[in-house]
Structure formats: C-alpha cells, structure tokens
Amino acid sequence: MKSKKKYHILVCNDDGIDAPGIYALVQELKKIGTISVVAPDKQQSAVGHAITMNYPLRVKEFKKDGKFFGYAVQGTPADCVKLATRAILKHQPDLVVSGINHGSNTAISVIYSGTVSAATEGTVLGIPSIAVSLTTYAPPDFRYAAQFARKLASMVLKKGLPAGTLLNVNVPPLKKNEIKGILVTRQGKAVWNDTFDHRRDPNNREYFWLTGGLEDVDTDLEFDEAAVRNQYVSITPIHYDLTDYKMFDAMKKWGVEKLR
C-alpha cells in the first residue's frame, strides 16, 4: 500500500511569533502536515516587502507553553521566509502560509502588508503560498479563519498554483454559519485617505501620527473589500509581476524606443 505523503508547511506572519493568529493557524495546519514556524520576533505590520541588508539577522528558538514552537527572527516577514528556506530548514517546504493577520489586507493594503509580503517571498522562491487575514481590529476569534485556511491549504497542496501567483485570503470576523459563501475576487480599488495628527511630546517637540480611513469605492462582489463587507470570504489570486501590459503595448507604438 502506497504511503500518503507528509506535507511540510512553513508558517510566517507579520504580527509576531507570539501573536494568537499564528498559533491558531498552526494548530489547524498540524492536521495536514509537518509545520515549521519562522516569524518576526515582534510586530512588523505594514513593512511591505522590506528585507534586511545592513544588519545581522538574529534568530532565537521560541517556546509556547514550555514547548518549542518555532524560530523568532529579528527581521521582516520577507526576511523570515528567505532565511527559513535558505538557512534554517533542511528541506524546502511544500507550502508557505502567512497569517493569520489581525486586520484586513484588501485593496491597496496589499502593497503595504507584511502578511502578504511573506507569502510573496515564498512565491518568489518557487513555493506555493497563501496569505490569510481576519478582517477586524476588534478582539478576534481566529477559529473559523484557521479552519478555512487548512481546507484551502489542502486544496493548494493537491492542485498547486501557477508560477509567480499567490492567494490573498480575507475572512470576515464571523462564525461559520454567518458566512454567506466563498468568492474568488479581484483586488479592489479602495485607497487610504491618509491624515497626519500633529502632536507635541512632553518636551514640546513636534511629531506626526499617521491615521485616516479606507475609502471604499467598490460595490461589486467581484472585489475583495466588497465581498468581505458583505460577509463572504475573499480569495484573490495575485502576482508580483508589476508590469502594466496595456501600457507596454501602447508605449511600443509611441516610438519611444527611437529616442536617443
């Protein structure tokens, strides 16, 4: 009788290795494979795809409830995935899952997200990758998001993903029976209306604190933010090829290549 393959899954995040979201994710993914956790040693939200080049990356074993849980890295989410696959792990994982993020990663937030960037780095390295976020900043219940991540991970492990493509998943903060369904979506066009709160510290030195809100312009359920707002889980296939192919073709006709 042919033995069933034991999958190896690398788990990362941007909320830090001690975040409850990554713990909930690991508990579910353990049901389908061997898990390696390599994650930032502290909060790294909104760092995008930054990597560390001018400072050493320090790594420590991290324990949870007295047991080894994973490796805590003094670096960014992208650092963690790069370091895990090139230095820490003996074998390349079959899948990278980043999350579960505490907060939404839809629309323009995708380009700032450390959660998405960890999955993007996995994709750059040729590993099928998924980013998972729970779309709330209130006290979270990660159970359904973790269960859904496990089911989707199982599907990706069997079916694979195209080279250069990852899945960005956003789960509404609801119970399973409150979720209306699952939708494959497009990245929305909502953007942040950034404002800076002008303040002064106790020494009367001025500083600024970034704030603002997301201006959602999408109403169609084919877009990630609208889907989540209407109680659907959103799955958006994205890729790191930033080429604008329509503009590429247009500029060929401009005659710009004849300029000197």
Side-chain angles (χ1 to χ4, degrees):
M1 184 176 177
K2 190 175 180 180
S3 61
K4 189 176 180 181
K5 180 180 178 181
K6 188 74 170 177
Y7 292 109
H8 180 200
I9 303 171
L10 171 62
V11 176
C12 187
N13 73 349
D14 73 354
D15 288 330
I17 197 167
D18 61 345
I22 196 171
Y23 182 76
L25 180 62
V26 167
Q27 300 317 301
E28 282 294 325
L29 293 180
K30 279 181 178 178
K31 298 175 182 179
I32 62 171
T34 300
I35 310 303
S36 294
V37 178
V38 182
D41 64 347
K42 57 183 174 294
Q43 175 65 250
Q44 291 282 341
S45 292
V47 299
H49 206 104
I51 58 173
T52 303
M53 298 181 65
N54 297 319
Y55 302 95
L57 288 173
R58 303 190 187 280
V59 182
K60 291 183 179 179
E61 292 189 0
F62 179 83
K63 292 184 178 181
K64 185 92 173 173
D65 300 324
K67 297 180 181 178
F68 174 74
F69 182 72
Y71 294 96
V73 179
Q74 261 186 349
T76 68
D79 283 333
C80 292
V81 175
K82 194 183 289 290
L83 187 67
T85 56
R86 293 293 188 256
I88 296 175
L89 304 181
K90 293 181 180 179
H91 305 287
Q92 181 159 292
D94 300 295
L95 181 72
V96 172
V97 184
S98 178
I100 299 168
N101 188 64
H102 186 187
S104 175
N105 276 311
T106 59
I108 197 66
S109 297
V110 169
I111 67 169
Y112 302 115
S113 169
T115 303
V116 175
S117 291
T120 302
E121 185 62 33
T123 304
V124 170
L125 296 170
I127 308 166
S129 300
I130 305 169
V132 185
S133 301
L134 185 68
T135 60
T136 182
Y137 295 101
D141 181 346
F142 290 105
R143 286 177 292 182
Y144 173 69
Q147 292 165 9
F148 182 77
R150 169 177 51 80
K151 294 176 182 179
L152 182 60
S154 292
M155 184 174 288
V156 170
L157 284 165
K158 293 172 183 176
K159 295 182 176 295
L161 290 173
T165 296
L166 61 137
L167 302 182
N168 182 36
V169 181
N170 282 274
V171 182
L174 304 169
K175 296 179 180 178
K176 183 177 181 179
N177 62 355
E178 297 172 325
I179 297 290
K180 290 182 179 178
I182 316 300
L183 292 176
V184 178
T185 57
R186 298 169 59 184
Q187 182 181 350
K189 295 180 174 60
V191 295
W192 287 97
N193 179 14
D194 294 329
T195 58
F196 288 90
D197 191 3
H198 185 198
R199 305 179 183 181
R200 290 191 177 274
D201 67 18
N203 293 317
N204 202 35
R205 294 172 301 191
E206 71 174 357
Y207 67 97
F208 297 87
W209 198 289
L210 177 63
T211 182
L214 192 68
E215 292 190 347
D216 190 10
V217 297
D218 300 316
T219 57
D220 196 308
L221 292 179
E222 72 171 334
F223 294 104
D224 51 13
E225 181 66 26
V228 168
R229 191 172 61 250
N230 285 278
Q231 299 176 256
Y232 290 89
V233 174
S234 162
I235 307 176
T236 309
I238 60 177
H239 53 73
Y240 57 83
D241 180 354
L242 301 180
T243 307
D244 183 334
Y245 287 97
K246 288 184 179 180
M247 192 60 184
F248 175 86
D249 292 335
M251 291 192 73
K252 288 283 189 179
K253 297 175 183 177
W254 284 9
V256 67
E257 292 174 337
K258 295 178 181 178
L259 296 176
R260 289 289 187 271

